[in-house]
Amino acid sequence: MKNIIVILVALGCIGLLTGARLPPEGPLPAVRPGQSNTAAPTPQRPPIPEPKPERGDAETPPAKQGPADFSNQPEKQGPKLPSQQTLEEQHLTIAAESDAEHSECERELQVLGVVFKDISRIDDGNGCGIDKPIEVSEALPGIKLKPEAVFRCPVALALARWMKESVIPAASVAAKDQGRIVAVNQASSYICRLRNGAQTGKVSEHARGNAIDIASFSFEKGKDVAVQPRREDSTLIGAFQRTISAAGCLYFKTVLDPESDAAHETHFHLDVLERTGGYRYCH
C-alpha cells in the first residue's frame, strides 16, 4: 500500500513538470553605465533603385572613353646639344689676343723671313673672325703661299718652322731631282663655317683663324706633289708625305691627313687649337 502511494506522488510531479511553460520574455540583462535600454534598431533593407527613364531619339548617348590622344600636341624639347646647334645658335665671340704676344710672334716671323702684313680686325659675326689677323704671301723666303692666306700669327709661325725643319729636308731626299720647293698650295685659311662645312656642330678652327689646309707642294721641276692617300704608297714620295704628316704634330696641335677620314683625302688640315694639358690630336 505504501509503495502504491509513492508511485502515485511521483506520477503527479511528472505531470506538473510537463505542463509548466517558460515565460514569453526573460529578464533583461543589467544595463552598463553609459548605455541605454533602447533596443538596437532593426536593420533596414537597401532601397531598390527606380528604373531609368527611357531615352528619346533626340538624346545622344555619351561617347565611350578611350585612351587619351596626344598626337596633335607639340612635343616638348629640351635644349639642343652643341652638335645640334647652328653657328648662329652658339653665340660665340672672337677671342682677344695679347698685344705683347702678337708682337713677339711677328718678330719671330721676320727672323725666319716670312713675308706677311697686318690687316684690319675681322668680325663676320657669330664668333667668326680674328682679333689680330695677318696675311701671308711667302711661307719662307722664296716659297710662295698660294693663294695668299689669312690667319693668326701662330699659324704662320708653326707653318714656317715645319717647312724649314721638316718639309724641306724631307723633300731634298725624296724629290731631289725636282729641285727645291717653290710654293705651298693652300686650300683654305680663314673662312667662317662649322667643321667640315656642316650645318650644325662645332665651329671650325678656320673660322677663328687657327688653321690652314695644304693641298700640294710645287717644285722647281716636275709635277706638283699632291697630298692624297699614300698609306700603301711604297715610293719615296709616299715616304715623304708620311714623314711630314708625322712631323707636323711637333709644330701644330692638330694634324689631319688623307688617312684620317673622307673629308681630308685631298689635303692636310693643320691647326693651333689649344687643348687642356697640351694635348695634341694627330692622324
Side-chain angles (χ1 to χ4, degrees):
M1 185 67 180
K2 187 182 288 186
N3 290 337
I4 294 173
I5 295 172
V6 172
I7 292 171
L8 291 174
V9 172
L11 290 173
C13 291
I14 292 172
L16 290 173
L17 291 172
T18 303
R21 292 183 179 181
L22 293 173
E25 294 182 3
L28 294 176
V31 179
R32 293 182 180 179
Q35 294 183 342
S36 64
N37 287 331
T38 306
T42 303
Q44 300 292 323
R45 293 183 180 180
I48 299 174
E50 296 180 0
K52 294 182 179 179
E54 294 184 0
R55 290 197 300 262
D57 292 338
E59 182 181 353
T60 303
K64 294 183 179 180
Q65 295 294 326
D69 182 8
F70 299 102
S71 59
N72 294 327
Q73 296 184 9
E75 295 183 3
K76 293 182 179 180
Q77 296 182 348
K80 290 183 179 179
L81 298 173
S83 60
Q84 300 172 322
Q85 294 177 349
T86 64
L87 185 60
E88 292 77 8
E89 292 171 329
Q90 296 183 43
H91 306 294
L92 303 173
T93 58
I94 299 172
E97 296 186 65
S98 162
D99 290 338
E101 290 178 2
H102 182 71
S103 297
E104 177 58 29
C105 179
E106 289 194 329
R107 281 194 290 271
E108 294 187 55
L109 292 183
Q110 292 167 352
V111 170
L112 289 167
V114 178
V115 179
F116 69 95
K117 65 180 180 181
D118 289 310
I119 59 176
S120 300
R121 185 177 188 271
I122 299 173
D123 186 350
D124 289 330
N126 300 313
C128 290
I130 309 174
D131 188 29
K132 294 178 171 55
I134 63 172
E135 184 180 81
V136 177
S137 55
E138 290 190 18
L140 284 174
I143 301 179
K144 300 289 187 181
L145 189 56
K146 293 184 177 180
E148 296 178 343
V150 173
F151 33 57
R152 294 178 56 237
C153 184
V155 177
L157 186 57
L159 176 63
R161 289 173 172 170
W162 177 58
M163 290 292 300
K164 180 178 180 178
E165 299 170 10
S166 297
V167 178
I168 292 173
S172 67
V173 175
K176 59 182 178 181
D177 57 333
Q178 292 185 228
R180 67 183 185 87
I181 295 176
V182 295
V184 177
N185 303 303
Q186 60 98 3
S188 180
S189 55
Y190 169 76
I191 183 172
C192 182
R193 63 173 174 81
L194 297 178
R195 291 182 182 179
N196 300 328
Q199 296 299 311
T200 59
K202 292 184 177 181
V203 67
S204 170
E205 291 308 305
H206 288 280
R208 298 179 178 276
N210 285 334
I212 182 172
D213 290 346
I214 295 177
S216 65
F217 301 91
S218 296
F219 290 78
E220 287 178 308
K221 299 176 287 184
K223 297 180 179 179
D224 291 355
V225 173
V227 178
Q228 62 187 41
R230 295 186 186 273
R231 178 176 292 170
E232 305 301 328
D233 187 345
S234 58
T235 67
L236 280 173
I237 295 302
F240 165 72
Q241 180 173 298
R242 292 191 296 272
T243 298
I244 64 175
S245 176
C249 217
L250 299 174
Y251 308 92
F252 294 92
K253 308 298 173 62
T254 306
V255 177
L256 300 176
D257 66 16
E259 316 302 338
S260 63
D261 56 33
H264 298 90
E265 285 187 343
T266 59
H267 62 275
F268 290 131
H269 169 88
L270 311 169
D271 73 48
V272 295
L273 170 64
E274 292 287 347
R275 296 185 176 89
T276 303
Y279 170 73
R280 300 187 179 210
Y281 183 84
C282 305
H283 194 295

